[in-house]
Amino acid sequence: MNSASATKLRGLLSAEPKVVSVGLSLFADALRAQAIPVVEVPWQPPLGDTNRLFSVMSDPRRLAANAQALEAMLNAGAQLVGLRPARECLGLADNEFLHSGPPLEFERASGPMRGALAGAVVFEGLTDTLEDAEAGLADGRFRMAPCHSKDAVGPMAGVISPSMWMFELVDPVYGNRAYCSLNEGLGKVLRYGANNDEVLDRLRWMRDILGPVLAQAVAAHGPIDTKYYVSQMLASGDEGHNRNRTATLLFLRDLMPDLLALDFASADLAEVCRFLGANDYFALNLVMPTCKLAMAAAKGIPGSSLVVTMARNGTDFGIQLSGTGDEWFTGPAQVAEGLYLGDYGPEDANPDIGDSAITETAGIGGLAMAAAPAVVRLVGGDVAFAVETTRRMYEITAGEHPIHQIPILEFRGVPSGIDLVKVLRTTVLPQINTGMAGRIAGVGQVGAGLVNPPMDCFTNGLESLGQ
């Protein structure tokens, strides 16, 4: 050992040692038993085909491609520019219906998905009974496709039918468009699989009154910056998935002067205001297409391993990657763990469902739980869990958002750009906050909770990267 090295090592063992243990807890536990402080670093071997993973990691395109995808995602804008019926803006045929999640055959559909699709068929007047609606969905008389295949997103079952009014959002930076239906509220609603007369009557009112009123009010107001809503939500205690009060109230505030000046019956205008003001979740259907536009900007970049879609149909959980086009990588949808309404319990809950995980894909929702610690009262856990969850999400993301910030973390940007490679290397899965639908059609919502994607989605996606 030369003198320089000796100088550097002098005094190394004169102080108390600081021990770091990586991997299995056996070594750390043995040291603690001897009253020796240990900093334990969780680690386990990466999942999936390790040779394939190393091949993807060494792809010379990946780092630059991910940087490009992240930059596009963060730069994308979102403006509400109007409302139109789905047959007009999505080109739906009279017998065509959209649903949440990856592609699905009706025979494999869960109870709430079946209930929502059948209810929508009856709502459109294509048949008089739910039984005939289900028969037509099974034999192909009524066609079904994912919302994402039409640049749309839908919460829970996400069913969109031709006459439903859609929010239309445009990204002024990249020119993409995204769409979402109008939010019905909570309880027994179509998106949770309920389809009785109360549900269908509400949908008819939304078609005949709510949609036309909002369409004219937005036209009178002009474009509304919904990306700004997301930043204000995070600063005000909402995480954008299960808490949307701030954006709902901002929307109502922005639209109220134009809405009250419309040439509609005063009773209809009053009911529209009451409906929006009483539905804290109304702006979820604005936040979702806002996030969809951010992820659309990041799509189609060869070599990128960033996740641009996470969606569930109640049977399968699917993801899409920036570098693999429209291909879906799926695994079985999981049942959320959380809090139940009334006497409902885990046996009543359907596996996870909905396109609303586009919020987590864009870095808010479950990834930004630290911004909304009160959300744990709805989905379970505690405040410390919410903060720790967000801190953990930085391990699997490519960067941080410069505008969407979390006050409690010293205004650190939300974790942005979920990287499939980092998920497999760390075995940390994205956190999702979600509502829970009853597994039997017609029940509606039974609770809310926390869920993760199945690791299968990420190991399956690895196989297509770099090809």
Side-chain angles (χ1 to χ4, degrees):
M1 180 182 300
N2 59 38
S3 58
S5 298
T7 299
K8 291 179 181 178
L9 292 174
R10 185 175 299 129
L12 178 64
L13 299 179
S14 62
E16 287 293 322
K18 295 181 180 179
V19 182
V20 177
S21 175
V22 179
L24 295 176
S25 297
L26 184 63
F27 180 62
D29 292 342
L31 290 172
R32 290 193 189 98
Q34 302 174 63
I36 298 175
V38 181
V39 176
E40 193 168 2
V41 178
W43 180 87
Q44 65 184 63
L47 296 179
D49 183 333
T50 53
N51 289 331
R52 184 71 191 150
L53 179 59
F54 296 152
S55 175
V56 170
M57 291 174 60
S58 62
D59 185 339
R61 302 172 300 170
R62 190 176 75 87
L63 293 180
N66 282 353
Q68 180 183 348
L70 179 66
E71 181 181 16
M73 168 189 171
L74 301 181
N75 288 342
Q79 294 180 343
L80 172 65
V81 295
L83 291 88
R84 291 190 285 163
R87 64 165 44 90
E88 180 180 336
C89 60
L90 301 181
L92 292 189
D94 289 342
N95 67 337
E96 189 175 6
F97 298 83
L98 303 182
H99 62 80
S100 61
L104 179 70
E105 304 80 27
F106 188 73
E107 291 75 12
R108 298 181 60 245
S110 64
M113 181 64 78
R114 285 172 173 264
L117 284 165
V121 171
V122 174
F123 164 66
E124 291 294 339
L126 299 177
T127 183
D128 294 328
T129 68
L130 296 171
E131 292 76 15
D132 189 51
E134 289 205 16
L137 288 160
D139 66 24
R141 276 183 290 150
F142 311 127
R143 306 199 308 269
M144 44 191 284
C147 294
H148 277 288
S149 68
K150 296 281 191 178
D151 298 322
V153 281
M156 302 308 292
V159 171
I160 296 171
S161 66
S163 66
M164 291 181 181
W165 285 81
M166 308 293 294
F167 285 126
E168 183 172 12
L169 277 68
V170 64
D171 174 2
V173 179
Y174 297 101
N176 296 313
R177 291 181 181 264
Y179 304 88
C180 190
S181 56
L182 308 184
N183 192 285
E184 309 159 79
L186 294 176
K188 287 187 176 293
V189 288
L190 189 78
R191 71 178 186 276
Y192 279 101
N195 51 26
N196 61 13
D197 288 343
E198 174 191 354
V199 172
L200 299 183
D201 285 345
R202 185 188 305 112
L203 289 174
R204 295 182 183 107
W205 174 81
M206 293 173 70
R207 177 194 63 198
D208 298 339
I209 303 296
L210 181 63
V213 167
L214 292 181
Q216 289 195 29
V218 170
H221 181 281
I224 296 174
D225 184 352
T226 56
K227 184 176 180 179
Y228 164 80
Y229 283 178
V230 174
S231 294
Q232 291 302 303
M233 293 170 75
L234 296 168
S236 305
D238 291 350
E239 39 73 86
H241 190 161
N242 269 294
R243 283 182 64 89
N244 296 273
R245 293 177 180 177
T246 298
T248 298
L249 292 176
L250 286 173
F251 179 65
L252 189 57
R253 180 201 68 181
D254 289 345
L255 220 56
M256 187 74 76
D258 300 289
L259 189 151
L260 294 179
L262 297 177
D263 187 20
F264 280 83
S266 59
D268 288 337
L269 296 179
E271 180 61 16
V272 168
C273 293
R274 186 209 62 79
F275 182 79
L276 268 63
N279 180 4
D280 288 343
Y281 278 78
F282 192 78
L284 171 63
N285 293 42
L286 286 169
V287 173
M288 287 173 58
T290 298
C291 294
K292 172 68 174 173
L293 286 174
M295 304 322 301
K299 286 190 70 172
I301 300 176
S304 173
S305 56
L306 296 194
V307 177
V308 293
T309 307
M310 294 195 297
R312 318 85 96 202
N313 58 31
T315 302
D316 306 314
F317 194 117
I319 68 171
Q320 293 176 318
L321 304 174
S322 173
T324 55
D326 292 330
E327 186 176 1
W328 287 95
F329 307 104
T330 63
Q334 311 294 304
V335 175
E337 296 183 8
L339 304 177
Y340 289 88
L341 303 174
D343 295 329
Y344 292 121
E347 68 280 0
D348 301 304
N350 195 76
D352 199 22
I353 187 170
D355 288 333
S356 53
I358 194 67
T359 57
E360 280 83 7
T361 317
I364 60 173
L367 270 69
M369 284 182 71
V375 79
V376 299
R377 301 186 66 181
L378 175 66
V379 300
D382 55 28
V383 173
F385 171 81
V387 174
E388 176 56 31
T389 294
T390 295
R391 291 189 185 278
R392 192 169 63 252
M393 294 298 100
Y394 290 107
E395 298 179 26
I396 60 172
T397 47
E400 302 175 15
H401 205 292
I403 299 174
H404 301 338
Q405 300 173 341
I406 302 176
I408 199 172
L409 297 182
E410 302 294 339
F411 294 94
R412 188 175 183 182
V414 298
S416 302
I418 298 168
D419 185 353
L420 176 141
V421 167
K422 291 186 176 183
V423 170
L424 294 177
R425 288 188 66 188
T426 63
T427 72
V428 172
L429 288 164
Q431 182 66 68
I432 297 170
N433 300 338
T434 186
M436 290 185 275
R439 63 181 179 83
I440 298 174
V443 168
Q445 185 177 10
V446 299
L450 305 167
V451 73
N452 303 110
M455 189 61 81
D456 298 10
C457 297
F458 298 90
T459 55
N460 292 337
L462 179 67
E463 298 303 314
S464 289
L465 272 175
Q467 293 183 4

